[in-house]
Amino acid sequence: LVTAGVYLVLRSFYIISSNPYVTQVLMILSLFTLVLAGSSAVFAFDLKKVIALSTLNQLSWMMFSISILLPSVAFFHLVTHAVFKALLFLGAGGVIHSNQSIQDIRGLSSLWQGLPVSMGAMSVAIVSLSGAPFMSGFFSKDLMIELSMMDSSVTYGCYLLELLGLIFTSFYSARIVFSVMLGSNYVNNSTLRINEHLNMQTPFLSLYIGAIILGVVLGSKMESFGFVVVLENYESLSVFFIPFAGLILWRGVISKLGSSSWSSAKSLSFFLSMWFMESLTSHPGKVTFFKGSSTVAQSLDQGWLELLGPQGVHAGLGQFSCLNEIVQKNYF
């Protein structure tokens, strides 16, 4: 469902691409959403919310590819993302189920021993999500970055925002690994020691394989689209090491989390509320929105549209049939 919007834009690409202003607006919105979702995921504590913001982050990549007129690359990333993100959601579901429905990553840790299959699946999905070399996510992301570097419409500012979004991806991916899989508990929590059923392991295995080899398989097919990437060696090397920049940033930031500048309530609330975007759906905004939508529904859906549409046609046909009945009774 969340990718339905991307698919709709892909289907209407030839309409959108004919207007340069639409593609420019789409590029600005996608880059804004890319940085917003990535920075919010870095500070989120809810495991499901981190993965959901990660999905929003990847959708922004697809929209950005469409905005620079690369719909096939966007679809390529949509398919590879579907595989490793499904694997990540299944692994997260197993983790939450096995920990008494706890979703706070501060209460989840050292799960590698208790849930080896789920943790193995999540690790592969996270590595692919980060765009680590030779995983499925690497082939689609690498293609998008390199082709955007060759696009004259992409300015240096846009390119820096791309890199920032990629670093954020590696950052919150490393945070999940070091908190959920390898970290120490911040609170006392008893994990349910259950055996991972075969019904759970089978989809893990199939998506596990897909998250590794799907990029190679589809990447060879993508060559038939005629993309020619000509980059200098240092540019290709910089793209190669982008996923590791997030890991380096994580190691540098982890020691500063206790300082006042990082733990201040204002900065945390800014990122935890998605740059205060969640306030748009808070109580006052929500009431205003629903009042406006109620007015629109009454005046249009239940008003003019009904009068000119089904109810109006029904009433008109009813009057015409009554008139026709009177005419037939009197003259025939």
Side-chain angles (χ1 to χ4, degrees):
L1 287 177
V2 294
T3 56
V6 178
Y7 183 73
L8 180 64
V9 175
L10 283 170
R11 294 290 290 177
S12 56
F13 172 74
Y14 293 105
I15 301 174
I16 295 172
S17 60
S18 61
N19 192 332
Y21 297 104
V22 175
T23 56
Q24 195 71 22
V25 170
L26 186 62
M27 180 188 294
I28 295 171
L29 289 177
S30 61
L31 289 173
F32 171 77
T33 311
L34 179 71
V35 178
L36 182 148
S39 60
S40 300
V42 166
F43 290 91
F45 295 111
D46 191 319
L47 180 59
K48 280 187 179 179
K49 188 172 183 178
V50 173
I51 301 176
L53 290 171
S54 166
T55 304
L56 183 61
N57 183 275
Q58 301 305 307
L59 293 178
S60 304
W61 268 112
M62 301 172 202
M63 288 295 194
F64 178 75
S65 297
I66 296 172
S67 68
I68 58 176
L69 308 181
L70 297 171
S72 53
V73 179
F75 187 74
F76 180 25
H77 188 57
L78 189 150
V79 175
T80 56
H81 168 261
V83 175
F84 61 73
K85 189 53 66 69
L87 183 62
L88 186 57
F89 265 115
L90 281 176
V95 168
I96 293 170
H97 173 70
S98 303
N99 286 272
Q100 302 174 349
S101 301
I102 292 177
Q103 297 179 200
D104 195 325
I105 61 174
R106 293 170 293 185
L108 302 170
S109 66
S110 303
L111 296 178
W112 191 272
Q113 298 175 351
L115 302 168
V117 178
S118 297
M119 292 300 99
M122 282 188 68
S123 62
V124 171
I126 286 172
V127 169
S128 184
L129 170 66
S130 303
F134 312 118
M135 301 295 286
S136 291
F138 170 76
F139 289 91
S140 54
K141 281 189 174 183
D142 178 73
L143 195 58
M144 283 190 288
I145 297 168
E146 292 184 356
L147 290 172
S148 66
M149 291 172 73
M150 298 173 60
D151 196 315
S152 58
S153 64
V154 179
T155 61
Y156 285 109
C158 294
Y159 186 65
L160 289 176
L161 290 177
E162 286 183 62
L163 297 182
L164 186 61
L166 283 169
I167 291 173
F168 279 144
T169 303
S170 303
F171 195 109
Y172 61 71
S173 299
R175 184 165 171 252
I176 293 176
V177 171
F178 291 118
S179 298
V180 177
M181 298 183 189
L182 306 174
S184 299
N185 254 337
Y186 298 117
V187 295
N188 292 324
N189 177 38
S190 58
T191 303
L192 297 175
R193 298 298 179 183
I194 59 173
N195 293 325
E196 295 170 290
H197 198 271
L198 185 62
N199 292 341
M200 193 76 172
Q201 295 182 20
T202 303
F204 275 154
L205 180 61
S206 58
L207 292 170
Y208 183 98
I209 297 172
I212 296 174
I213 68 171
L214 186 63
V216 180
V217 175
L218 292 182
S220 61
K221 301 294 182 183
M222 288 296 293
E223 294 178 359
S224 61
F225 289 104
F227 291 123
V228 179
V229 180
V230 182
L231 294 179
E232 298 291 338
N233 291 332
Y234 73 92
E235 293 175 328
S236 300
L237 194 63
S238 64
V239 173
F240 190 86
F241 281 107
I242 284 173
F244 303 104
L247 298 177
I248 297 171
L249 186 63
W250 166 263
R251 297 300 299 172
V253 167
I254 196 68
S255 60
K256 299 181 180 180
L257 287 177
S259 63
S260 59
S261 61
W262 280 90
S263 60
S264 62
K266 288 185 178 180
S267 60
L268 274 179
S269 63
F270 175 73
F271 289 107
L272 289 175
S273 63
M274 294 178 64
W275 298 10
F276 301 125
M277 294 289 286
E278 290 183 354
S279 61
L280 298 177
T281 57
S282 61
H283 183 66
K286 193 187 302 181
V287 170
T288 305
F289 173 77
F290 281 119
K291 280 185 177 179
S293 61
S294 176
T295 304
V296 171
Q298 290 176 0
S299 60
L300 287 178
D301 288 351
Q302 301 171 4
W304 287 103
L305 292 179
E306 286 290 342
L307 184 61
L308 298 175
Q311 291 185 2
V313 172
H314 178 267
L317 290 175
Q319 293 176 1
F320 178 77
S321 62
C322 289
L323 179 62
N324 185 39
E325 185 180 355
I326 293 173
V327 170
Q328 289 187 12
K329 281 183 179 179
N330 291 338
Y331 294 103
F332 296 98

